[in-house]
Amino acid sequence: MKVKNKKNVVKAISAIGKTHKIKRNKIKRLTEKKGKKKKISKKALIEVGLKNDKPKPKAKVETTQPITNDNLIKLTNISYKGAPESSTPSLHKQQTKVDKTPTSFIKRMKDKLKGARFRYINEQFYSSSSQDALLYFKKEPSAFKAYHNGYMQQVSQWPVKPLDVIIKQIKPILKKSNVNSPVVVADFGCGDAKLARAFPKIKVHSFDFVAVNQHVTAGDMAHTSLANGSVDIAVFCLSLMGTNLQSFIKEANRVLKTGGLMKIAEVESRFDNINTFVDSLAKYGFEKTKVDQTIEMFVFVDFKKTQDISKTALKKKLPILELKPCIYKKR
């Protein structure tokens, strides 16, 4: 209210003082009992007008800028167990469920046994000659099937398939093949003859210990039935195994035409020194034309036949060719 003069101001102040004095006395009576202080109740404070009986409204938090970023919304929706199905890109790795049924367990055990048998046979290859390996597979035909299945299982896990690289490299050459000038290929250690199946119109001789299909000729690839100088391209894709590597190279020299191409793909770890291996092959009548070590795990080397050593092999002592065995880790 408006105070018109000084006298009225004094009266107003006095009235306010008396009111507060009354309230203080009332609070004192409420709080004092037998000389002891007690906690002031909410009801008492409301009676004397020092507390409002209306509940305080909850404070509202206002955002100064609305969230319009969809990616941010998706990030905030990610739970402990992973992101929602609609979120892109996924920020969690989806866990694959392991099938624990008895059938699945038996299958896993069989796969492990297959892998163990493959590794055992593979190690025997590196420590025996091709003649011994051929005799073994004649007595135990199921062993080659186990080896082949294990090998294919290994290949499926590789980031790069060496034979696919070779197929891509020789494809332009094979396109030039025609009736008057056919291109002939010899695949030493062919497995299931994937190279021959990739080029059904090309004459591809496929050799391995056991014929797993109609494209493969079974036998020792160190001694084939091919005529001298009848092949344009000789391929050794991960097949330089055994203690008689020089026999394979000599056979390739025999069947290749002068100027013919020999392609070798091997695991990089098998070479102590790639240059030493290349220099040794020069004594076998091969000149290096290309070395590719850019592909992880593998080395690809191309050679051109420059000399026929069939007449000089017995007169000249050829260097022994050796590559380290490819030993698989025990599991």
Side-chain angles (χ1 to χ4, degrees):
M1 66 179 178
K2 293 183 179 180
V3 181
K4 294 182 178 180
N5 52 50
K6 186 176 181 181
K7 190 174 182 179
N8 291 336
V9 171
V10 174
K11 287 181 179 180
I13 293 171
S14 177
I16 293 170
K18 288 180 180 180
T19 302
H20 281 281
K21 186 175 181 181
I22 293 169
K23 288 183 178 181
R24 285 197 299 272
N25 291 335
K26 192 171 183 178
I27 292 170
K28 188 175 181 182
R29 289 195 302 272
L30 289 171
T31 57
E32 291 181 355
K33 187 177 182 181
K34 295 181 181 182
K36 295 182 181 180
K37 292 183 179 181
K38 67 177 181 179
K39 186 177 180 180
I40 303 174
S41 67
K42 180 179 177 180
K43 184 177 180 181
L45 291 174
I46 292 172
E47 288 179 358
V48 297
L50 295 180
K51 189 172 181 66
N52 194 350
D53 59 345
K54 294 182 180 181
K56 289 184 178 180
K58 293 183 179 179
K60 294 183 180 180
V61 179
E62 296 182 357
T63 56
T64 57
Q65 184 178 357
I67 297 175
T68 58
N69 191 328
D70 291 337
N71 290 331
L72 181 58
I73 294 172
K74 290 171 183 177
L75 286 173
T76 56
N77 286 338
I78 294 174
S79 66
Y80 171 76
K81 293 183 179 180
E85 293 181 359
S86 60
S87 67
T88 54
S90 177
L91 299 180
H92 71 287
K93 184 177 180 181
Q94 188 175 0
Q95 295 182 349
T96 56
K97 294 183 179 180
V98 180
D99 189 357
K100 296 183 178 181
T101 61
T103 304
S104 176
F105 173 77
I106 293 171
K107 184 180 181 301
R108 292 200 306 273
M109 291 302 102
K110 285 183 177 180
D111 289 341
K112 286 185 178 181
L113 289 173
K114 287 179 182 178
R117 192 177 185 190
F118 161 73
R119 290 190 293 274
Y120 171 77
I121 298 172
N122 187 71
E123 290 178 12
Q124 302 311 306
F125 273 166
Y126 290 106
S127 59
S128 60
S129 67
S130 58
Q131 293 91 339
D132 293 336
L134 180 61
L135 290 173
Y136 172 72
F137 287 128
K138 283 183 177 179
K139 293 180 181 178
E140 299 287 341
S142 63
F144 187 82
K145 184 179 179 181
Y147 171 79
H148 178 71
N149 292 339
Y151 173 76
M152 296 307 295
Q153 187 177 7
Q154 293 287 330
V155 171
S156 65
Q157 298 173 10
W158 293 344
V160 177
K161 280 80 172 169
L163 187 58
D164 290 344
V165 175
I166 291 177
I167 289 174
K168 184 178 180 180
Q169 290 175 346
I170 66 175
K171 190 173 183 179
I173 302 174
L174 300 183
K175 282 184 176 180
K176 299 176 182 178
S177 179
N178 53 62
V179 177
N180 298 325
S181 181
V183 178
V184 180
V185 182
D187 186 3
F188 293 91
C190 65
D192 60 355
K194 182 178 180 180
L195 182 58
R197 291 185 286 111
F199 302 103
K201 296 182 180 180
I202 303 298
K203 184 59 179 178
V204 180
H205 299 282
S206 305
F207 302 101
D208 216 319
F209 294 117
V210 176
V212 296
N213 56 44
Q214 70 275 16
H215 301 284
V216 183
T217 301
D220 183 358
M221 67 181 188
H223 305 284
T224 68
S225 58
L226 297 175
N228 294 348
S230 60
V231 174
D232 297 283
I233 303 174
V235 175
F236 291 93
C237 183
L238 307 181
S239 56
L240 291 177
M241 305 169 67
T243 57
N244 59 324
L245 300 184
Q246 54 270 18
S247 299
F248 307 149
I249 301 302
K250 285 164 64 177
E251 182 67 1
N253 181 275
R254 183 185 70 81
V255 302
L256 271 173
K257 299 174 183 177
T258 301
L261 172 65
M262 180 172 70
K263 297 184 72 66
I264 294 176
E266 267 302 339
V267 180
E268 187 177 23
S269 60
R270 296 195 65 198
F271 295 94
D272 276 325
N273 189 316
I274 185 65
N275 293 324
T276 302
F277 181 77
V278 168
D279 293 341
S280 297
L281 284 187
K283 303 291 180 62
Y284 285 80
F286 290 103
E287 178 186 344
K288 176 200 72 177
T289 58
K290 182 182 178 181
V291 176
D292 185 0
Q293 294 179 271
T294 61
I295 299 176
E296 185 181 1
M297 289 175 57
F298 304 104
V299 176
F300 297 85
V301 191
D302 291 353
F303 296 91
K304 180 176 70 173
K305 177 183 172 180
T306 57
Q307 182 184 3
D308 186 356
I309 64 167
S310 59
K311 297 179 181 179
T312 60
L314 298 176
K315 298 177 182 179
K316 188 186 296 184
K317 187 177 181 181
L318 296 172
I320 296 175
L321 299 176
E322 291 182 339
L323 291 176
K324 293 191 291 185
C326 188
I327 305 298
Y328 290 87
K329 292 181 180 180
K330 301 276 192 304
R331 294 180 184 178

